[in-house]
Amino acid sequence: MNIENLKIFTLAVFILGSSWACKQESKTVEEPSTDKKPNIVVIYMDDLGYGDVSAYGATELSTPNMDKLANGGVRFTNGYATSATCTPSRYALLTGMYPWRNKNAKILPGTAPLLIDTEQLTLPKMLKEQGYYTGIVGKWHLGLGSGNVNWNEKISPSPNEVGFDYSHILAATQDRVPTVYIENGHVVNLDPNDPIEVSYQKNFEGEPTGKDNPEMLTMKWHHGHNNSIVNGVPRIGFMKGGEAAKWSDVDMADHFLAKAQDYVKQHKDEPFFLYYALQQPHVPRTPHPRFEGTSGMGPRGDVILEADWCVGEFLKTLEKEGLMENTLIVFSSDNGPVLNDGYYDDAVEKLGDHTPAGPLRGGKYSLFEAGTRVPFMVYWKGKIEPKVSDALVCQVDLLTSLADLVGSNQKGQDSEDLLEAFMGNSEDGRDQLVLEATSRTALRQGDWIMIPPYDGPAVIKSVNIEIGNSDEYQLYNLKEDIGQQNNLAASNPKKLEEMKAKFQEIRGAENTETEALELK
């Protein structure tokens, strides 16, 4: 090879080598991932009604942060909880299973055993399998332990045994003992020299109660809430000890908000799931002094505004941490509204022109629409186009739909894959849905709902809510009669028989007997 040819050959080798090296280097440079799994947040309210949010028609309350989610994402007009009470709805959301399939899925006392079987499929378990860090902050109310909890030791099983890596919760509700926070199975700030004792059967000797010591109360009870007194508020159930661990009611919203914000900051570098379960506007309504009197409707209105502020502050944290574009947010409520739910707190007297149920009939505890049709929106900045959807969707569908989103083939027993509807890409929702209220069930199918006959009173007088009981079948076309004023059962027997057959196919043999409802 002569000198000229050698030079040409050497140059060619150099060029090819440089090109190969550049390609190899470009392969090692980490490019922005286009398939990074989104963070998932479920913001869950407690007793928030269809008409309590301004995006859903409220005119006497302004909820700009809830509205941001509703107006910036998919706002569902036919979005449902599975049940008209709290424990069953939470069970369905986390398990993808109708609550009526579990005979114990009822409003639980604070001492109830864990309702979810530790071997059962759950939403957080499914997400953990896909590499998510999973957490719950807020209200639990699905039982703890095996039925005989020692609150002074690690409590197990708890949310941590059904799929949550992190849990910071209140055991049941704000009006039930024990009135302490529990983190990863341990009571927060517990003094071992002041052990906690809890009973729902009898009081502990020498402990004052709301019934016997009204002079100690800052909030007057109306029905049911007359046992142990904590922070001047009479509760359901009896508790002794644990003084250093007891929560401050007026600081609860701030407390849970801070925990939710910390969770996001600590896990922003990995896919995370957060179930942020606010306690508002469930009783006792104890707004922080910053929010007292801000609604003009008394404490119930005030805590809705407080909750809206919490939602806004939480969204600001996602924005600040650069997470909004990769976070799917679901917002909803566990059941419909109630005004007087055990305390005198001006909810009835100061209601004014506000309609917590909006155009719907009934409320919490009810088989009428206001019991289970709730605010329901899905938001994902830059990924979901704003729209209003009439698709029939339910919280029970989140497990299977989110499994589809993250690439899992897991499916809940009663959970349908409605991902396209949740993303706003389709108007196709469920064909039918079985709804539940205090052991009674009804069938929603298309635009229709059929309520079988049930024994018992038509109205719960203590809370002044129609609950759907009647000695006759009820059939309503919700598209034409959203307020359920025109029972078509007699005039449309063909449709009634069709729905009765479908209901029996899903639900089994009819049972018109109802269990006694204990409002406390």
Side-chain angles (χ1 to χ4, degrees), residues 82 98 100 366-369 372 432-437 439-445 448-452 454 474 484 499 503 506-507:
T82 53
Y98 280 136
W100 48 262
S366 179
L367 274 179
F368 287 126
E369 284 294 281
T372 50
Q432 63 262 327
L433 174 65
V434 175
L435 299 165
E436 186 266 347
S439 77
R440 300 161 298 131
T441 47
L443 177 66
R444 170 79 197 263
Q445 186 179 46
W448 297 81
I449 189 162
M450 184 273 293
I451 304 174
Y454 287 106
Q474 298 177 74
Q484 296 176 283
M499 293 192 70
F503 182 67
I506 300 171
R507 185 71 175 90

Side-chain angles (χ1 to χ4, degrees), residues 78 80 390-394 397 418 429-433 444 446:
N78 285 294
Y80 286 81
D390 296 330
L392 177 59
V393 299
C394 182
D397 300 316
L418 301 182
R430 283 178 155 264
D431 293 326
Q432 63 262 327
L433 174 65
R444 170 79 197 263

Side-chain angles (χ1 to χ4, degrees), residues 178-192:
T179 52
V180 296
Y181 298 122
I182 301 165
E183 184 169 277
N184 296 328
H186 297 278
V187 172
V188 178
N189 295 330
L190 178 64
D191 179 354

